[in-house]
């Protein structure tokens, strides 16, 4: 059952938006299948949806958006689909980079870059370098990323940095995580009706609020985003503590 029910009414005193929203953009293939199209067209529609959602997040003063574009497990997919996804990334950088820059979006790529082609790495470098001065919103694109990989690479970096075992606290290890520059996600959205996190941001999502939507990603827009944010605002976030009860009336 989806936690996203509908578009909330706009309040006069709107609460502060979540600072960091993480999204698993699921359902591209099923969207294409419903239309008797190859899966590639679903991924293409998903890129278009991502650009619209990022624009909506900019308008809502959300500071960070992290999207799961390609997991370390996605290499198991058919080779033609993987090849198509790689080509789609190159096309998306060419088509949308200027628009993202004009919106004040900074692009950062998160993940293991060793397995991708030089051409793709160069495109990522261009996207990161050309938007490095932007500060309206940071778009983290998790590509060839896995939560377990992130924890392992952080441990390796800590060891290489010579951090003594006795000094390896949670806070210290966090400094070596792939997104050490960003706050942990406040809101985690997964579309497509699946109710799991699929090895995404395992370390960072310890106290994140989850919203699962039945909406397929290419159909996800402002209405669904606002509903997810409303669900987030309805949660009682205690971070393991207990809130004091209000004083009793005299």
């Amino acid at each position: 059952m989806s936690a996203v029910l509908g578009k909330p009414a706009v309040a006069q005193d709107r609460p502060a938006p979540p600072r960091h929203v993480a999204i698993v953009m699921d359902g591209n293939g099923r969207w294409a299948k419903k239309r008797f199209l190859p899966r590639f067209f679903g991924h293409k529609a998903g890129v278009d949806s991502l650009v619209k959602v990022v624009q909506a997040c900019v308008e809502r003063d959300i500071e960070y958006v992290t999207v799961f574009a390609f997991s370390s497990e996605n290499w198991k997919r058919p080779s033609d689909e993987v090849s198509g996804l790689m080509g789609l990334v190159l096309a998306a950088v060419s088509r949308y980079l200027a628009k993202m820059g004009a919106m004040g979006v900074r692009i950062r790529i998160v993940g293991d870059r060793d397995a991708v082609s030089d051409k793709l790495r160069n495109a990522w470098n261009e996207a990161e370098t050309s938007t490095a001065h932007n500060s309206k919103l940071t778009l983290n694109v998790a590509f060839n990323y896995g939560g377990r990989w992130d924890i392992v690479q952080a441990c390796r970096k800590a060891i290489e940095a010579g951090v003594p075992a006795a000094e390896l606290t949670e806070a210290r290890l966090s400094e070596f995580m792939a997104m050490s520059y960003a706050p942990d996600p406040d809101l985690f959205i997964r579309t497509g009706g699946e109710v799991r996190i699929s090895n995404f941001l395992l370390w960072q999502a310890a106290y994140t609020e989850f919203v699962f939507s039945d909406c397929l990603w290419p159909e996800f827009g402002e209405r669904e985003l606002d509903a997810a944010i409303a669900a987030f605002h309805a949660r009682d976030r205690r971070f393991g503590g207990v809130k004091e009860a209000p004083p009793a009336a005299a």
Side-chain angles (χ1 to χ4, degrees):
M1 191 71 174
S2 170
V4 177
L5 302 178
K7 187 172 182 178
V10 178
Q12 292 296 322
D13 296 323
R14 179 178 294 176
R19 190 179 178 196
H20 185 174
V21 176
I23 306 174
V24 177
M25 307 177 292
D26 201 8
N28 292 333
R30 281 170 284 164
W31 180 89
K33 185 177 180 180
K34 284 171 59 177
R35 290 157 178 78
F36 304 101
L37 295 170
R39 290 175 59 86
F40 173 80
F41 287 91
H43 295 306
K44 184 176 181 300
V47 172
D48 295 337
S49 182
L50 171 60
V51 174
K52 294 175 184 176
V53 169
V54 169
Q55 175 69 62
C57 288
V58 168
E59 294 169 355
R60 286 154 181 76
D61 295 323
I62 293 169
E63 297 178 45
Y64 297 86
V65 174
T66 302
V67 295
F68 209 4
F70 190 87
S71 79
S72 51
E73 287 79 27
N74 285 157
W75 294 104
K76 301 173 186 176
R77 294 188 176 188
S79 59
D80 58 338
E81 182 175 351
V82 171
S83 177
L85 284 168
M86 300 300 169
L88 184 59
V89 172
L90 293 171
V93 170
S94 175
R95 181 178 179 184
Y96 291 117
L97 184 56
K99 182 174 182 178
M100 288 287 188
M103 287 192 290
V105 174
R106 179 177 185 178
I107 297 174
R108 301 189 73 154
I109 309 300
V110 182
D112 185 356
R113 305 191 184 205
D114 292 340
V116 302
S117 67
D118 291 340
K119 190 173 183 179
L120 190 54
R121 278 195 296 270
N122 291 337
W124 287 347
N125 290 336
E126 179 189 357
E128 290 181 321
T129 302
S130 64
T131 62
H133 62 284
N134 290 336
S135 58
K136 182 65 176 176
L137 179 148
T138 297
L139 173 63
N140 305 303
V141 181
F143 201 98
N144 196 25
Y145 173 91
R148 292 177 177 176
W149 164 85
D150 198 358
I151 295 170
V152 170
Q153 68 85 30
C155 291
R156 287 175 174 168
K157 286 183 177 179
I159 293 170
E160 291 170 357
V163 179
E167 297 178 13
L168 191 59
T169 62
E170 290 183 17
R172 190 75 173 95
L173 186 58
S174 292
E175 297 174 8
F176 297 95
M177 301 301 289
M179 289 198 302
S180 59
Y181 55 84
D184 289 343
D186 303 294
L187 172 61
F188 184 117
I189 302 170
R190 178 165 187 160
T191 62
E194 303 292 352
V195 188
R196 57 178 175 271
I197 62 175
S198 297
N199 196 23
F200 186 40
L201 303 179
L202 298 181
W203 178 272
Q204 297 87 346
Y207 285 100
T208 299
E209 300 297 331
F210 290 81
V211 172
F212 298 99
S213 171
D214 294 327
C215 180
L216 301 178
W217 175 248
E219 299 169 347
F220 191 92
E222 289 190 47
R223 176 187 178 88
E224 291 75 21
L225 176 64
D226 285 339
I229 293 173
F232 166 79
H233 284 142
R235 308 284 174 84
D236 183 14
R237 308 190 77 203
R238 298 185 300 275
F239 301 97
V242 177
K243 290 184 178 179
E244 295 184 5

